Amino acid sequence: MAAFTLTLTPRRAETDFNGHVTAIAYHDWADRARVAYLRRAGVAFVQGEFGPVLLEARINYLNEIRYGDEITVSVEPDFGAGKTWRVRQRFLRSDGVLAARIESVWGLLDHSTRRLTEDPLQTLTALATDPGRL
């Protein structure tokens, strides 16, 4: 399946004194894109039995993003065997320049046991109204 993408434009409040986007904005945009990816499949976690848990994140800043640049954030999940899955995300400027990459590791927390689910893809598939989009 092709990567899911979300396009956005940085707000002035997301820039620092150097005129480029702050580190926290990249993480916020990555989160917005991951949530949009799950919502597209019909997965919602509002007061549910499960919730995603960030276990690890690594970001590489490659080229600056400035106020007003149009950015496309991709979401490429990799569900393997086990309790966790990886998500690769790229931040591409509209001029085609790769600005940053984030790789993260996620688990799915069962709220009743406070433990990670054994098979997060199976659980997400059961929660989704359109599981083919996962």
Side-chain angles (χ1 to χ4, degrees), residues 4 6-15 21-37 54 57-59 61 65 71-75 87 89-91 100-102 104 106:
F4 172 81
L6 177 70
T7 302
L8 50 86
T9 303
R11 300 172 298 183
R12 186 160 314 278
E14 294 169 321
T15 61
V21 169
T22 64
I24 194 67
Y26 287 89
H27 291 282
D28 181 55
W29 298 343
D31 187 56
R32 286 172 53 191
R34 287 188 303 268
V35 169
Y37 158 76
L54 175 63
R58 185 182 75 228
I59 188 166
Y61 301 101
I65 297 174
I71 305 302
T72 300
V73 182
S74 65
V75 178
V87 178
Q89 295 184 267
R90 297 178 342 130
F91 298 77
R101 293 186 299 252
I102 291 182
S104 54
W106 291 83

Side-chain angles (χ1 to χ4, degrees), residues 95-114:
D95 62 3
V97 172
L98 180 61
R101 293 186 299 252
I102 291 182
E103 291 193 18
S104 54
V105 177
W106 291 83
L108 191 60
L109 183 69
D110 180 326
H111 291 165
S112 65
T113 65
R114 306 307 291 174

